[in-house]
Amino acid sequence: MCRSIKTLRPPAIPEKATEEEIRAAALQYVRKVSGFRVPAAHNREVFEAAVDAVAEATAALLDGVQVRGGRTAAAAV
């Protein structure tokens, strides 16, 4: 997969992932599967829609995933 996409959940990161981190991961994913680093003008709309959809799905996943046996951000303080 894309090595530049990092894990966005605790304990890999100490706090909740930001919107910017989620969008960056989504962008890397869409770039990887589409084969385009920057889409041509005629593909820009569908490319951006895909990034938005992946970012939304990622945020939903991170909001719902439960980590067992790991320290929570609140417990780390």
Side-chain angles (χ1 to χ4, degrees), residues 1-2 26-36 47 50 54:
M1 191 44 172
C2 197
L27 177 59
Q28 288 300 320
Y29 176 80
V30 172
R31 284 176 173 170
K32 184 69 166 185
V33 296
S34 71
F36 298 115
F47 188 91
V54 171

Side-chain angles (χ1 to χ4, degrees), residues 1-8 13 20-33 37:
M1 191 44 172
C2 197
R3 294 182 187 161
S4 61
I5 298 175
K6 65 181 186 175
T7 301
L8 296 178
I13 61 172
E20 292 81 21
E21 289 171 320
I22 291 171
R23 183 145 179 94
L27 177 59
Q28 288 300 320
Y29 176 80
V30 172
R31 284 176 173 170
K32 184 69 166 185
V33 296
R37 186 180 183 301

